[in-house]
Amino acid sequence: MSDEHEDAPESGRLDRTTLETLARRSETHPLVASWAFTPDRLSPRALELTLDPSAYPPSVEAVRLDIHWFVTGDYYLHYVETRTETRYQCRWDRHPKTNAPRTHIHPPPDAGEAEPSSVGTHHLDVLFEVLDWVSERVSTLHDASRQSK
């Protein structure tokens, strides 16, 4: 993963079995171009899903979803869109937080202050709820791109 998250939760060991399941299941989604454990499969710190940039308007250069799933059932999924001079990002979290519900989102465009989230707790539900959100984001970007022409 190319970014460090200063406010990312510490929730114990990563759940490698769950991450492997998420990797395999992510391949069934049309926006997922590839996946890899970073920095490597032997000592993963995250599962990085590379999303297909050709599905996005040309202004979006790269898109990824970094997934951290812990043996405690806590998680965070960090969505990052990269453009020439800007980034659009948000993060879905589940971990104890004193000033937010256990399950929360750091909303776009800059992964700001935590807000309540309705994303579930089962790893596959979370993955596909977030990928559904990504699909809606792609549609919104295309609609905005068409309207600006």
Side-chain angles (χ1 to χ4, degrees):
M1 186 171 65
S2 59
D3 304 306
E4 291 301 319
H5 308 289
E6 294 173 14
D7 63 340
E10 289 296 326
S11 296
R13 289 186 354 261
L14 284 177
D15 185 339
R16 291 178 62 168
T17 302
T18 296
L19 288 173
E20 288 172 7
T21 300
L22 292 171
R24 287 191 308 275
R25 290 301 305 272
S26 72
E27 292 175 319
T28 66
H29 195 278
L31 287 175
V32 176
S34 65
W35 61 267
F37 290 106
T38 58
D40 59 47
R41 188 174 193 87
L42 295 176
S43 300
R45 287 192 209 124
L47 168 62
E48 184 177 299
L49 304 183
T50 301
L51 303 179
D52 182 3
S54 70
Y56 287 77
S59 61
V60 177
E61 297 172 349
V63 188
R64 72 175 198 273
L65 182 63
D66 299 327
I67 302 174
H68 299 78
W69 201 281
F70 300 93
V71 295
T72 60
D74 289 346
Y75 59 79
Y76 61 101
L77 288 80
H78 185 205
Y79 174 83
V80 182
E81 261 174 46
T82 305
R83 300 161 190 255
T84 303
E85 296 180 18
T86 62
R87 286 173 31 139
Y88 177 96
Q89 61 183 329
C90 59
R91 197 177 74 229
W92 293 264
D93 292 2
R94 181 175 190 276
H95 64 92
K97 188 167 179 74
T98 56
N99 58 349
R102 182 176 183 90
T103 303
H104 55 273
I105 183 172
H106 294 268
D110 59 359
E113 291 296 318
E115 298 175 359
S117 170
S118 61
V119 172
T121 58
H122 188 275
H123 57 285
L124 293 176
D125 291 342
V126 172
L127 173 66
F128 287 106
E129 284 181 55
V130 169
L131 288 173
D132 286 348
W133 178 93
V134 172
S135 295
E136 289 177 27
R137 169 78 180 148
V138 171
S139 293
T140 300
L141 286 171
H142 281 293
D143 289 347
S145 178
R146 281 190 290 275
Q147 289 175 359
S148 68
K149 290 182 181 180

